[in-house]
Amino acid sequence: MRAEIISVGTELLLGHTINTDAAHVGRALSALGMDLLQVHTVGDNAGRLEAALREALNCADVVITTGGLGPTDDDMTKETVARVLGAPLEEHKDSLRRLREYFGSRPIAANQLKQAWLPRGSTAFPNRAGTAPGCAVPGKPGQWVILLPGPPSELLPMLEDSVMPFLQRMGGAVIASFMVRTFGIGEGSAALRIADLTEGANPTVAPYASDAEMFVRVTAKAENAEAAEALAKPVVDAVRGRLGDVVYGVNVSGLEAVVVEQLRQHRRSLAIAESCTGGLLAKRITDQPGASEVFGYGLITYANEAKTRLLGVPEEQLACYGAVSPQVARSMAVGVRERYGADYGLGITGVAGPGGGTEEKPVGLVYVALSCSNAIWLRVLRPQGRYLGREWTRRLASSHALDMLRRHMAGSACGGRMGGRAAAGLSFSAA
Amino acid sequence: MRAEIISVGTELLLGHTINTDAAHVGRALSALGMDLLQVHTVGDNAGRLEAALREALNCADVVITTGGLGPTDDDMTKETVARVLGAPLEEHKDSLRRLREYFGSRPIAANQLKQAWLPRGSTAFPNRAGTAPGCAVPGKPGQWVILLPGPPSELLPMLEDSVMPFLQRMGGAVIASFMVRTFGIGEGSAALRIADLTEGANPTVAPYASDAEMFVRVTAKAENAEAAEALAKPVVDAVRGRLGDVVYGVNVSGLEAVVVEQLRQHRRSLAIAESCTGGLLAKRITDQPGASEVFGYGLITYANEAKTRLLGVPEEQLACYGAVSPQVARSMAVGVRERYGADYGLGITGVAGPGGGTEEKPVGLVYVALSCSNAIWLRVLRPQGRYLGREWTRRLASSHALDMLRRHMAGSACGGRMGGRAAAGLSFSAA
């Protein structure tokens, strides 16, 4: 099955919006074993959209458009597809009902109502997060044009709920796809360890890097789900074996999901003290539904006074070593655990930048401490000459905190053990 | 001047890499007043790259390729351009010298050396951050094909240092582009209010929705920057006038940036008490460099005990009204402000879901309270039959909190005012 994506939106050409939709759809197509030939990005321009559409219809079995389904005049994807395929727009009853439900007692303007009109013969895809439904419009026999909304918050659920099942039915074969997720190994090293596994055609094995993590996707294709899984499973196990304890899960959504699940299973609780991450670690923990079972207290002690008052970090320690120090990270982790009665305490302090760095404490330097009833562990993230920005530094620091707790609960080494007043810790590159 | 971008790389089609290069180049072209007709993304496939190139050469004065300049076998952009333009590759002395400098005393493999070969007649662009130089290759008279490396860390400096000056010499108009950002109005309603403004050709005015917000882009083209700005400014003012106080900024990065800047200007401080948002609000505030000037304390009181202990929320209130109530939101906002000595206190409590909802307190219900020295304000977010998920609910709640504070500091109405024990608040749809 050959696919093409046409992304529609002048904001994409002007660079105001980055085309993440194409990456999301590309990933979905690749997970289904479909060949994406190309992505064509055009502005809100019916003529150019029409030309791209006609060209794509010549080569592809599935043409997926993103954007241009909204209520405004420059939203013209549906009209253009209707014209090119000779499938005039018709009122779609179910979409109209959903639109009326969405607006409730509020009045609906005519431009809003046009969203409930779909090309004749369409299969509608409901929009969980907005007003414009998506749809699949038949082209030549066996060919479909799939129209998706532009905002990622609308496109993503639709892709998962409706489009992937629709494409899977089209393709005949069933795909089993496993994502082996790791933290703490580079793409290059991981690729070397699994090099021979990536040569197979079914299952396919593909490594890729994302956001300081490294994933390996194993995808098998077969007549039914059981057969596809049976093909994939031994290869998934082989990948896990090669990569070792940097693997934190398979088909999990992230480190935070694994940590919350471990805490729940062990009936343990976590308290968090954050400085430079400013709530990001607590946010990632509470992204997980049901986090309240294992998490009750998160303190963002951005000010030094807050560290002393809420966590009991000694003023002398702040004065002597500074807020960004292994000693303060340790006091934060111990303080939040002991004061708020949790089984584990995590403390993070660092220089997120871009300002505030010194020669001794450069931007990107972060200390992460984990405290449990009988030990304290430390990691030091050092920028090593390359500072990758505030967002990266904060994200990486919160991932290291989660990884320390994950490894500790799994019985793996999780950092440098801190003695009485010692400041030693395992060092990691922060770039 | 008409431009096209061809992005080359299988990783882009698989969705392993998001095409940020196209956005960077698009922004540069628009700043120079060039019309970007389309972006074409193809894999590491010489045939499809050649087809895209031939098509682009038919329409555009400038064709910019990104990616495929590296040393490996699947890097074939330069070879393909050389073939299509009939400009055979030749050793480029200056690039060879730079390559030798880059490698120093290390040996240089043959595949590395191929990077110093450029199509005949090229203007070379040195690479500050990597080994592959970029170049501009002449096509028909007045036409150029510009080859840029794929890694953004290499592309960005080359774009700024070499490509923008090169394109500017080619001539063309200059663009001024303004993004008017709003919170609290739907795309449909906004479009109606500015309908007549969107009919102009220069400046162009285009609304679009993103993540529960609505933006309007105003773009003017003229001979120089001053003239373009002079064309755009009155229309930007008109858009602001039509939309009123839902506009939170022009060419700003988000509500949190505006709020931190307002706090800084007014020399006011903020303390935050979060329950259902679990750190997201504090995270958004501390995404801003320099947030520590205005923000010292953020408390994530996920457990009821934490609300009582850290914020002084009365136990009776939790027992009588429940943690998700206007009374508790109020006590959180007042408690965090008074206890931690801030000028403003924000309190958020709600049911983020997907579990935990009841008939009386459905998933998606959130109370947001703002406390200042002499008043307390409340917003109630009600799901109105449509629950859009945990992430959406949390994001929207944090945006409402930021919007309340922004409006309060700007002197606009920001919510329902709470009396002594009254529970009234302004209601908003949470969908």
Side-chain angles (χ1 to χ4, degrees), chain B residues 151-348:
Chain B
S153 60
E154 302 179 20
L155 175 133
L156 276 170
M158 194 181 290
L159 197 58
E160 199 169 309
D161 295 351
S162 308
V163 181
M164 291 193 66
F166 183 90
L167 290 174
Q168 201 143 30
R169 284 194 298 275
M170 281 183 69
V174 174
I175 288 271
S177 182
F178 295 86
M179 186 73 86
V180 181
R181 299 179 68 134
T182 75
F183 178 79
I185 186 171
E187 189 183 6
S189 325
L192 285 179
R193 290 202 210 166
I194 58 167
D196 57 316
L197 299 174
T198 60
E199 285 161 15
N202 189 22
T204 59
V205 176
Y208 64 95
S210 164
D211 231 8
E213 302 193 358
M214 211 286 304
F215 307 149
V216 180
R217 191 190 52 240
V218 178
T219 309
K221 194 185 274 194
E223 271 183 17
N224 57 57
E226 293 69 38
E229 283 209 9
L231 265 174
K233 275 289 172 62
V235 180
V236 170
D237 290 343
V239 170
R240 290 191 78 131
R242 300 283 180 89
L243 297 177
D245 63 6
V246 295
V247 174
Y248 68 76
V250 178
N251 287 359
V252 294
S253 64
L255 273 167
E256 50 271 48
V258 172
V259 164
V260 168
E261 188 51 34
Q262 281 175 308
L263 286 166
R264 200 181 275 160
Q265 280 181 6
H266 293 97
R267 298 177 185 279
R268 292 282 185 275
S269 63
L270 168 67
I272 292 174
E274 298 182 66
S275 190
C276 64
T277 46
L280 173 58
L281 177 57
K283 185 248 169 210
R284 291 180 67 181
I285 289 285
T286 60
D287 278 341
Q288 306 307 308
S292 58
E293 283 175 41
V294 299
F295 174 73
Y297 286 82
L299 303 187
I300 301 153
T301 53
Y302 228 52
N304 277 357
E305 186 204 275
K307 294 181 183 73
T308 300
R309 190 167 155 195
L310 291 169
L311 304 170
V313 177
E315 278 178 28
E316 316 82 75
Q317 207 175 56
L318 288 161
C320 180
Y321 303 108
V324 180
S325 61
Q327 292 84 357
V328 169
R330 174 205 169 105
S331 297
M332 290 171 69
V334 172
V336 79
R337 184 180 72 77
E338 289 182 349
R339 286 208 174 187
Y340 305 104
D343 298 304
Y344 295 108
L346 280 168
I348 306 184

Side-chain angles (χ1 to χ4, degrees), chain A residues 273-275 299 301 303-336 339-340 347-349:
Chain A
E274 298 181 67
S275 190
L299 304 187
T301 52
N304 276 357
E305 185 205 275
K307 295 181 183 71
T308 300
R309 188 166 155 195
L310 291 169
L311 304 169
V313 177
E315 277 177 29
E316 317 81 77
Q317 208 174 56
L318 288 161
C320 180
Y321 303 108
V324 179
S325 62
Q327 292 84 358
V328 168
R330 175 205 169 105
S331 296
M332 288 172 71
V334 172
V336 79
R339 286 210 176 185
Y340 305 104
I348 307 183
T349 181

Side-chain angles (χ1 to χ4, degrees), chain A residues 35-36 59 154 167 183 195 209 231 249 261 318 322 345 385 394 400 418:
Chain A
D35 266 338
L36 176 57
C59 321
E154 302 180 19
L167 291 173
F183 179 80
L231 267 174
E261 188 51 35
L318 288 161
R394 281 156 49 98
H400 272 285
M418 293 185 91

Side-chain angles (χ1 to χ4, degrees), chain A residues 2 10-20 22-24 26-27 30 36-44 48 52 55 70-75 98 101-102 106 109 111-112 127-130 151 153 206-209 274 276-280 282-284 286-292 295-303 305-306 309-310 339-341 353-354 390 394, chain B residues 2 12-20 22-24 26-27 30 36-43 48 52 55 177 179 187-189 191-192 198 205-211 217 219 274-280 282-284 286-292 295-303 305-306 309-310 339-341 353-354 384 386-390 392 394 429 431:
Chain A
R2 294 148 64 99
T10 301
E11 71 278 8
L12 298 168
L13 296 182
L14 291 174
H16 291 169
T17 303
I18 291 170
N19 195 354
T20 50
H24 293 309
R27 232 172 284 158
S30 116
L36 176 57
L37 305 182
Q38 55 188 356
V39 181
H40 220 117
T41 307
V42 297
D44 298 313
R48 263 193 280 278
E55 193 190 314
T72 63
D73 282 346
D74 62 2
D75 290 311
R98 288 180 153 271
E101 268 174 31
Y102 184 95
R106 290 172 291 165
N111 62 348
Q112 296 285 359
N127 188 332
R128 267 207 273 149
S153 61
Y208 64 95
E274 298 181 67
C276 64
T277 46
L280 174 58
K283 185 248 169 211
R284 290 180 66 180
T286 60
D287 278 342
Q288 306 308 306
S292 58
F295 175 74
Y297 287 81
L299 304 187
I300 301 152
T301 52
Y302 228 52
E305 185 205 275
R309 188 166 155 195
L310 291 169
R339 286 210 176 185
Y340 305 104
R390 183 175 181 87
R394 281 156 49 98
Chain B
R2 295 148 63 98
L12 297 168
L13 295 182
L14 292 174
H16 293 173
T17 305
I18 291 170
N19 194 353
T20 50
H24 292 310
R27 232 171 286 157
S30 118
L36 176 57
L37 305 181
Q38 54 188 358
V39 180
H40 219 116
T41 308
V42 298
R48 262 194 280 279
E55 193 190 314
S177 182
M179 186 73 86
E187 189 183 6
S189 325
L192 285 179
T198 60
V205 176
Y208 64 95
S210 164
D211 231 8
R217 191 190 52 240
T219 309
E274 298 182 66
S275 190
C276 64
T277 46
L280 173 58
K283 185 248 169 210
R284 291 180 67 181
T286 60
D287 278 341
Q288 306 307 308
S292 58
F295 174 73
Y297 286 82
L299 303 187
I300 301 153
T301 53
Y302 228 52
E305 186 204 275
R309 190 167 155 195
L310 291 169
R339 286 208 174 187
Y340 305 104
Q384 306 206 324
R386 277 164 43 84
Y387 166 65
L388 296 176
R390 184 175 181 88
W392 175 271
R394 282 156 50 98
S429 164

Side-chain angles (χ1 to χ4, degrees), chain A residues 182 185-195 198 207-208 214-216 239 242-243 246:
Chain A
T182 75
I185 186 172
E187 191 182 8
S189 325
L192 284 180
R193 290 203 211 166
I194 58 167
T198 60
Y208 64 95
M214 212 284 307
F215 307 149
V216 180
V239 170
R242 300 282 180 87
L243 297 177
V246 295

Side-chain angles (χ1 to χ4, degrees), chain A residues 8-350:
Chain A
V8 186
T10 301
E11 71 278 8
L12 298 168
L13 296 182
L14 291 174
H16 291 169
T17 303
I18 291 170
N19 195 354
T20 50
D21 284 349
H24 293 309
V25 175
R27 232 172 284 158
L29 291 168
S30 116
L32 290 168
M34 294 190 169
D35 266 338
L36 176 57
L37 305 182
Q38 55 188 356
V39 181
H40 220 117
T41 307
V42 297
D44 298 313
N45 176 313
R48 263 193 280 278
L49 170 56
E50 180 168 340
L53 199 57
R54 291 192 187 281
E55 193 190 314
L57 286 167
N58 274 337
C59 321
D61 306 299
V62 188
V63 180
I64 299 183
T65 70
T66 66
L69 297 188
T72 63
D73 282 346
D74 62 2
D75 290 311
M76 53 188 72
T77 303
K78 223 162 45 182
E79 290 74 4
T80 307
V81 169
R83 190 171 59 245
V84 169
L85 294 181
L89 295 178
E90 293 176 345
E91 193 179 87
H92 185 259
K93 291 213 163 32
D94 198 49
S95 298
L96 187 63
R97 185 183 54 72
R98 288 180 153 271
L99 201 64
R100 291 198 192 281
E101 268 174 31
Y102 184 95
F103 279 90
S105 56
R106 290 172 291 165
I108 312 181
N111 62 348
Q112 296 285 359
L113 281 174
K114 93 171 191 186
Q115 296 175 102
W117 289 64
L118 301 179
R120 184 181 293 169
S122 293
T123 302
F125 301 140
N127 188 332
R128 267 207 273 149
T131 51
C135 61
V137 194
K140 288 179 295 209
Q143 188 184 45
W144 291 88
V145 179
I146 293 179
L147 281 63
L148 301 179
S153 61
E154 302 180 19
L155 176 132
L156 275 170
M158 195 181 290
L159 196 59
E160 198 172 309
D161 295 352
S162 307
V163 180
M164 291 194 66
F166 182 91
L167 291 173
Q168 199 147 26
R169 283 193 300 273
M170 265 185 79
V174 173
I175 291 273
S177 183
F178 295 86
M179 187 72 89
V180 181
R181 299 179 68 133
T182 75
F183 179 80
I185 186 172
E187 191 182 8
S189 325
L192 284 180
R193 290 203 211 166
I194 58 167
D196 57 315
L197 299 175
T198 60
E199 285 161 15
N202 189 22
T204 58
V205 176
Y208 64 95
S210 163
D211 230 9
E213 301 194 359
M214 212 284 307
F215 307 149
V216 180
R217 190 192 274 284
V218 178
T219 309
K221 196 186 272 195
E223 272 183 16
N224 57 59
E226 293 69 40
E229 282 210 8
L231 267 174
K233 274 290 171 63
V235 181
V236 171
D237 291 342
V239 170
R240 291 193 76 131
R242 300 282 180 87
L243 297 177
D245 64 3
V246 295
V247 174
Y248 66 77
V250 178
N251 287 359
V252 293
S253 63
L255 274 167
E256 51 271 47
V258 172
V259 164
V260 168
E261 188 51 35
Q262 281 174 308
L263 286 167
R264 199 182 276 161
Q265 279 179 7
H266 293 97
R267 297 178 184 279
R268 291 283 185 277
S269 62
L270 168 67
I272 293 173
E274 298 181 67
S275 190
C276 64
T277 46
L280 174 58
L281 177 57
K283 185 248 169 211
R284 290 180 66 180
I285 289 285
T286 60
D287 278 342
Q288 306 308 306
S292 58
E293 284 174 42
V294 299
F295 175 74
Y297 287 81
L299 304 187
I300 301 152
T301 52
Y302 228 52
N304 276 357
E305 185 205 275
K307 295 181 183 71
T308 300
R309 188 166 155 195
L310 291 169
L311 304 169
V313 177
E315 277 177 29
E316 317 81 77
Q317 208 174 56
L318 288 161
C320 180
Y321 303 108
V324 179
S325 62
Q327 292 84 358
V328 168
R330 175 205 169 105
S331 296
M332 288 172 71
V334 172
V336 79
R337 185 180 72 77
E338 289 182 350
R339 286 210 176 185
Y340 305 104
D343 299 304
Y344 296 108
L346 281 168
I348 307 183
T349 181

